Amino acid sequence: MSRYDAVENLHRCATDLQAALGELTQRLSGQRLLAARVFELPPVQKGQEHDPVTEIAVVQHLAQPAFAMALAHYGRLYMQHQSETVSTKAAVRLPGAICLEASAEQADALRQQVETVNKLKKRLEEIITVESGVPSEDRFEFVHSHLRGLITLNAYRSISLLDAPDSVRFGWANKHIIKNVSREEIVEKLKKSLRSGRAMAPWTREQWGEKLQDEIAMLNSLPATAKLKIKRPVKVQPIARVWNKEQQKQTQLACPSPLLVLCPDALSVPKLGELLNYDAGKIVHRFKPEAKKLFSLIPRLHLYSDRLA
């Protein structure tokens, strides 16, 4: 696909997404609100996107004010929808749950609309990350040159819809994204960076090229049996633990946006828990199995190996 076609698809998809979100908001506003609880988190300021997070103060909102915040949150796609001091590289999170009364017919219509919205979100991400052909380091500039102010993390984020569970409780999760990779895959990535001729501060182009060549040589010197992993930390994030009594099943969901909970009547409203302030110093792990030792190879890539050269 040509870059021109990708840009055209990007504009069309963004327009369709805004229209679908507008229709969803209108439909949700027409339903009877049974319960609402959302938790406002402090926004990430520009320049602080990569700062370590050790504390998060939570402000709780209930009932109609919470519902209004949730509807505004679903439609927040562009930086024009928020303060200029807030980072566009960090998603605005609003964990919580909105419980609405819905007949079987109304619930079906809402499900279809949420599905439409989520498909458009996924399509937008595919256009930006795949069809555009733009490397990851250039995507921010590509997106903002064609959709000025778009906050991609907000735009990609799907909306979760649930059918009246018994309870929804909230908490925090710390984790790593771990991915097995091959030596050839990483070496090719380094060679591609070398061929581009670009430098990374504070190195000069020549110094950066030498560093990349050293890294390639180091990887090639590893034993053939060495296993490579990308182990990238993910910043603490709010989660929801959804309990279904009939199925005797608990499901844990990422909760950057309010969950939409559809209830046939007021008697089926789930119990909504509270999200407490986050304090990294007070975390107690119930059980933390001892992981196999890994050795850091290339810190900026979060690349590790179980062996050293």
Side-chain angles (χ1 to χ4, degrees):
M1 176 177 291
S2 70
R3 179 72 63 87
Y4 176 82
D5 290 335
V7 170
E8 186 177 356
N9 290 342
L10 180 66
H11 282 285
R12 184 184 304 114
C13 186
T15 300
D16 290 346
L17 176 57
Q18 279 196 291
L21 283 168
E23 183 175 343
L24 176 62
T25 298
Q26 188 173 6
R27 286 179 180 271
L28 294 174
S29 300
Q31 302 301 128
R32 180 190 174 199
L33 180 66
L34 299 176
R37 174 176 271 189
V38 301
F39 307 97
E40 184 181 4
L41 310 182
V44 178
Q45 301 299 313
K46 288 182 178 178
Q48 298 179 2
E49 297 89 355
H50 303 296
D51 291 357
V53 177
T54 57
E55 294 183 351
I56 300 176
V58 176
V59 179
Q60 178 178 254
H61 299 272
L62 303 171
Q64 284 295 340
F67 187 33
M69 290 179 70
L71 294 182
H73 180 79
Y74 295 141
R76 186 183 284 114
L77 299 181
Y78 292 88
M79 62 184 294
Q80 294 90 322
H81 299 155
Q82 63 188 34
S83 167
E84 291 184 0
T85 63
V86 175
S87 172
T88 60
K89 297 180 181 180
V92 178
R93 300 175 297 180
L94 186 72
I98 304 298
C99 303
L100 301 171
E101 186 176 60
S103 65
E105 184 178 352
Q106 290 171 329
D108 284 342
L110 285 170
R111 277 191 211 95
Q112 289 178 18
Q113 191 60 29
V114 169
E115 185 177 347
T116 297
V117 167
N118 288 339
K119 282 182 177 179
L120 286 168
K121 286 173 170 285
K122 189 173 182 180
R123 173 68 180 137
L124 188 71
E125 183 176 8
E126 182 181 343
I127 293 170
I128 292 171
T129 61
V130 179
E131 291 184 7
S132 70
V134 177
S136 57
E137 60 270 19
D138 297 331
R139 282 178 196 152
F140 184 85
E141 183 179 344
F142 168 75
V143 170
H144 286 269
S145 64
H146 298 292
L147 292 176
R148 187 168 181 79
L150 181 72
I151 308 171
T152 53
L153 291 172
N154 285 21
Y156 296 166
R157 188 168 48 196
S158 62
I159 297 174
S160 296
L161 188 147
L162 304 173
D163 291 314
D166 292 281
S167 68
V168 181
R169 303 186 186 280
F170 303 94
W172 298 99
N174 282 290
K175 63 179 183 178
H176 286 78
I177 292 177
I178 300 177
K179 176 186 176 184
N180 292 322
V181 292
S182 68
R183 184 196 321 245
E184 293 74 18
E185 181 182 348
I186 301 301
V187 167
E188 180 54 37
K189 182 174 183 177
L190 295 175
K191 286 182 177 178
K192 184 177 180 181
S193 182
L194 187 61
R195 290 193 295 268
S196 73
R198 296 176 182 174
M200 182 178 288
W203 293 276
T204 65
R205 183 179 299 180
E206 292 74 18
Q207 289 171 334
W208 183 244
E210 290 176 4
K211 182 175 175 63
L212 291 172
Q213 289 175 336
D214 288 343
E215 290 173 345
I216 292 171
M218 178 267 293
L219 288 174
N220 286 329
S221 69
L222 289 173
T225 55
K227 296 179 180 178
L228 300 181
K229 295 178 183 287
I230 298 291
K231 184 181 178 184
R232 181 167 59 84
V234 178
K235 284 188 177 181
V236 61
Q237 61 176 321
I239 58 168
R241 297 183 181 93
V242 180
W243 172 249
N244 186 301
K245 185 178 180 180
E246 184 176 337
Q247 298 178 4
Q248 288 292 296
K249 180 181 178 182
Q250 177 175 278
T251 304
Q252 181 170 299
L253 303 172
C255 193
S257 301
L259 304 174
L260 281 177
V261 181
L262 303 183
C263 307
D265 52 53
L267 297 177
S268 56
V269 175
K271 183 174 181 178
L272 301 181
E274 185 177 357
L275 181 65
L276 301 178
N277 293 344
Y278 173 75
D279 186 343
K282 295 182 179 179
I283 294 177
V284 177
H285 296 280
R286 295 180 183 176
F287 174 68
K288 191 174 182 180
E290 186 175 345
K292 187 174 181 179
K293 186 174 182 179
L294 293 174
F295 301 93
S296 178
L297 296 182
I298 306 178
R300 74 174 188 284
L301 299 181
H302 305 287
L303 181 67
Y304 294 79
S305 174
D306 63 342
R307 302 282 294 275
L308 289 175

